[in-house]
Amino acid sequence: MVTTASAWLLPALPFLAFLLTATLGRWLPGQGAGIAIVLTGAGAVLWAPLLGALFVEGPQLYQPVWFTVGGDALHVSYIVDPLAALVLGVVLICSTHIQVYALGYMGGEARFGWFFAVVALFTAAMLGLVLSASLLTLYVCWEVVGLCSYLLIGFWFDRPAAVEAAKKAFITTRVGDVGLLIGILLLFRATGTLDIPAIVTAVQQGAIDGGTLTAAAILVLLGAFGKSGQFPLHVWLPDAMEGPTPVSALIHAATMVTAGVYLVARLFPIFEAAPVALAVVAAVGLISAAGASLLALVQTDIKRILAYSTISQLGLMFAALGTGFLPAAIFHLTTHAAFKALLFLAAGSVIHGTTRQKLDELGGLRRSLPVTAFTMLAGAAALAGVPLTSGYFSKDEILLGLLDRSTLLFVATLAVSALTAFYTFRLWVRAFLGPDQMHGHAHESPAVMLGPLVAFTVPSLLLGFLLFIPFGPSANIIAFLAGETGHPPAQYAEIGSYYHAHHEATPNGLVLGTSAAAALAGAGAAWAVYRSGARIRRRLPGAAVLERGFFIDALYRWLTTQVVMRLSAFFAWFDRRWVNDAGVNGAGRLPAVVGGALRTLQTGNLSTYALAIVAGMALIAGIILWSGR
């Protein structure tokens, strides 16, 4: 029988797949890809009864003892609550379907088995991160996720662009990870523990002073912003599209980039107690959402358009977190995983069938790729927030929360929604309508790739209706995530899972109407401008600034070459000239120099020695007489 205590099996199964595929893959059929898919899929199958067990048992904290040293037991604790359960399902279901898709997309690759091994390790690490009730194990899994991202982005290491993108992703996210590590150490120093429930309890009891708490929260945010590609650490994510498309779908749409959102959600009570940090979450989220939407307008690479849309949608999630509406952010995380994975896989199907990914080279593909065209249209509608799609309902929950806080925030988010609908349908209209740019040479993808597309289409269209499906007695998904599933709040207090900041998921005519109008206006504008297949030559005002990404990459390049490299050269010179030559080597040469000087005094001439003795005696006598005065 599956219970919440069985949750450790979910990361263990893909980790076993990694071990088998990485070590024995060359001797296994399909280089072990089937093992990775079966074991990850087994975890997805186990997830459903685990969710059922959560309703029966309530949220639980487990602290099994791994081993004991000197009487001290090492606990590796894990937590099973609504937040963890929902994200576990997202990771497992997306990973399983994307690996099936990769059977067709990655077929013929020389390192086919290694690809699936790394994906399995990534899945295991992400699941471990979600379950972790300790900042220690969370950070270890966090770093393994980053390592896997580096390996997968640079999978085609014979392509210079992929290698550079992998290095850029690794270095940029490391900047955030250093902040995360320092923040964890600050929390440990203040509380004496790394257990998340204990830290949350200490925060709520006021055991950490405000300055330390705010500093730790902001440092933790650096890690979240790095992983989730938020301003100003967003520059790696669009370049990461140089990796294989299944990697883009799995890591940079459905799972890894949501780790930052999950981290803030898991530590939400800490941010709630540090209002300055919470304000930073909201501000950075809104800046990222708006900025990425503008940058997506001028992109011509279909995967880069989707990459910027990911940054923008994650920004909306952070905005919801920063204004206190955690359940709305996680609900949108769930729907976003479905429709963004669908969009990336559909983009991969276009690339597979045409060997093209620039909008200027595409057009009229609806006849050659009918299944891809339909499924991508469903994903585009969900991303744009077209009424009754999953994105419409989850985005409306965020809008409802922002309206409760500020009309200005609400209007700004509506503008982002309209821009999102415009650039999303710009992509679809230009790729699938108008004249056939491939002149009939495009072809539909094989069934192994189309199956996951169809599978993701269903939740992309229907997942929003979770708002109307009871999760326990009279509780929809918002109340489920807020901890109102019929279990006493005390049960949550015992494990540090506090989700009190939420709002009722009740219909709001203003939000429903304005959100639908924004989505339809953006989609309609894209249809009107691009449906004929004409290429718009007139540039948008400020297009040069957008095409250069607000010059942020140029700024980083200048800082690296003109500041970091020059400072490094100065410190290298100082280390070589003063620390090494004068300090270390100088101390070594000093005895030889002194010894050489003293050796010159040993002449062997008795009269010289006698003169030295007399001079010394005279010097001593002079000192005595002088001191006697």
Side-chain angles (χ1 to χ4, degrees):
M1 179 180 177
V2 177
T3 65
T4 53
S6 308
W8 66 271
L9 286 170
L10 302 186
L13 289 171
F15 184 71
L16 176 61
F18 162 72
L19 294 177
L20 293 175
T21 306
T23 56
L24 305 175
R26 68 181 66 182
W27 297 289
L28 295 173
Q31 299 184 34
I35 290 178
I37 294 173
V38 168
L39 289 179
T40 305
V45 171
L46 286 175
W47 173 76
L50 178 70
L51 184 63
L54 176 62
F55 283 106
V56 175
E57 302 173 25
Q60 299 291 332
L61 173 69
Y62 295 99
Q63 295 180 306
V65 177
W66 279 34
F67 56 85
T68 302
V69 178
D72 295 327
L74 175 65
H75 298 274
V76 180
S77 55
Y78 59 97
I79 191 170
V80 184
D81 64 355
L83 173 63
L86 199 62
V87 181
L88 287 173
V90 168
V91 175
L92 284 164
I93 293 171
C94 287
S95 179
T96 302
H97 285 84
I98 291 169
Q99 287 185 68
V100 172
Y101 175 94
L103 286 174
Y105 192 90
M106 301 300 293
E109 292 288 340
R111 299 188 303 146
F112 184 74
W114 175 245
F115 175 85
F116 282 88
V118 179
V119 169
L121 178 61
F122 166 81
T123 304
M126 189 67 197
L127 295 170
L129 187 158
V130 172
L131 284 172
S132 293
S134 166
L135 289 177
L136 175 62
T137 52
L138 185 148
Y139 186 75
V140 170
C141 293
W142 186 276
E143 290 300 317
V144 175
V145 164
L147 172 63
C148 293
S149 173
Y150 168 78
L151 294 173
L152 290 169
I153 294 171
F155 180 78
W156 288 321
F157 60 86
D158 54 337
R159 302 182 183 181
V163 173
E164 292 301 315
K167 290 191 293 185
K168 186 175 183 178
F170 191 79
I171 293 170
T172 305
T173 54
R174 289 291 77 68
V175 173
D177 292 353
V178 169
L180 173 60
L181 178 59
I182 297 172
I184 290 173
L185 293 177
L186 282 178
L187 291 172
F188 176 73
R189 182 180 180 183
T191 63
T193 181
L194 290 172
D195 288 337
I196 295 174
I199 292 173
V200 168
T201 300
V203 168
Q204 294 193 325
Q205 293 175 349
I208 307 177
D209 68 88
T212 300
L213 185 63
T214 299
I218 291 176
L219 287 166
V220 168
L221 274 182
L222 286 177
F225 291 157
K227 274 288 190 291
S228 294
Q230 296 295 284
F231 179 86
L233 300 178
H234 66 285
V235 293
W236 68 271
L237 204 152
D239 288 0
M241 298 303 106
E242 293 293 338
T245 300
V247 173
S248 303
L250 176 65
I251 294 182
H252 307 118
T255 51
M256 190 193 90
V257 292
T258 60
V261 176
Y262 176 81
L263 178 65
V264 175
R266 174 56 70 199
L267 302 180
F268 188 73
I270 295 175
F271 293 97
E272 200 173 24
V276 173
L278 207 59
V280 171
V281 175
V284 171
L286 287 172
I287 291 170
S288 300
S293 293
L294 291 172
L295 293 174
L297 293 174
V298 298
Q299 303 301 314
T300 59
D301 184 294
I302 58 177
K303 288 176 64 176
R304 289 181 73 90
I305 294 172
L306 296 177
Y308 279 113
S309 77
T310 297
I311 297 172
S312 180
Q313 296 303 302
L314 291 169
L316 292 180
M317 298 175 208
F318 277 110
L321 289 170
T323 48
F325 301 105
L326 183 150
I330 301 304
F331 182 31
H332 193 55
L333 181 154
T334 305
T335 60
H336 174 265
F339 62 69
K340 188 52 66 65
L342 170 60
L343 285 168
F344 268 109
L345 295 186
S349 182
V350 170
I351 297 169
H352 184 271
T354 65
T355 68
R356 304 284 191 276
Q357 60 189 80
K358 297 288 187 181
L359 286 179
D360 291 339
E361 301 171 347
L362 299 173
L365 296 178
R366 70 186 185 281
R367 290 177 288 272
S368 302
L369 286 70
V371 178
T372 301
F374 172 76
T375 55
M376 196 168 195
L377 178 61
L383 174 58
V386 171
L388 302 184
T389 63
S390 63
Y392 173 70
F393 289 111
S394 60
K395 196 176 295 183
D396 278 3
E397 287 303 308
I398 294 176
L399 287 168
L400 179 58
L402 295 178
L403 180 61
D404 290 344
R405 285 287 186 266
S406 165
T407 303
L408 180 61
L409 294 179
F410 175 75
V411 172
T413 307
L414 274 181
V416 170
S417 298
L419 288 175
T420 300
F422 180 81
Y423 68 68
T424 302
F425 275 89
R426 166 180 172 261
L427 185 162
W428 190 87
V429 171
R430 289 191 61 179
F432 292 99
L433 300 184
D436 185 358
Q437 300 292 320
M438 299 300 298
H439 305 291
H441 294 296
H443 61 84
E444 188 63 277
S445 298
V448 73
M449 294 173 61
L450 295 179
L453 288 180
V454 174
F456 277 124
T457 299
V458 176
S460 296
L461 295 176
L462 303 179
L463 203 55
F465 288 97
L466 288 177
L467 278 176
F468 310 103
I469 298 176
F471 277 70
S474 302
N476 59 20
I477 189 171
I478 297 295
F480 172 68
L481 285 166
E484 297 183 352
T485 54
H487 302 291
Q491 289 182 280
Y492 282 80
E494 292 173 3
I495 60 175
S497 181
Y498 310 91
Y499 305 135
H500 301 312
H502 65 280
H503 61 278
E504 297 297 330
T506 55
N508 182 298
L510 174 64
V511 173
L512 293 173
T514 54
S515 174
L520 295 176
W527 178 279
V529 172
Y530 297 106
R531 63 190 174 91
S532 66
R535 300 297 182 248
I536 306 302
R537 301 300 178 187
R538 185 176 178 181
R539 303 178 76 196
L540 294 169
V545 176
L546 298 179
E547 289 167 355
R548 297 290 299 276
F550 298 118
F551 299 99
I552 295 175
D553 269 306
L555 174 62
Y556 286 160
R557 192 176 301 110
W558 179 84
L559 288 172
T560 302
T561 57
Q562 301 301 317
V563 179
V564 176
M565 296 302 293
R566 291 190 177 187
L567 281 176
S568 299
F570 168 75
F571 285 120
W573 170 83
F574 182 84
D575 177 72
R576 183 175 59 254
R577 178 68 181 83
W578 295 102
V579 177
N580 190 52
D581 293 349
V584 179
N585 293 340
R589 287 194 298 265
L590 183 62
V593 172
V594 174
L598 293 175
R599 188 171 62 245
T600 60
L601 300 177
Q602 305 301 318
T603 64
N605 191 326
L606 294 178
S607 59
T608 301
Y609 296 159
L611 179 62
I613 292 172
V614 172
M617 293 177 65
L619 177 63
I620 293 171
I623 293 173
I624 293 173
L625 291 174
W626 179 265
S627 62
R629 294 178 59 187

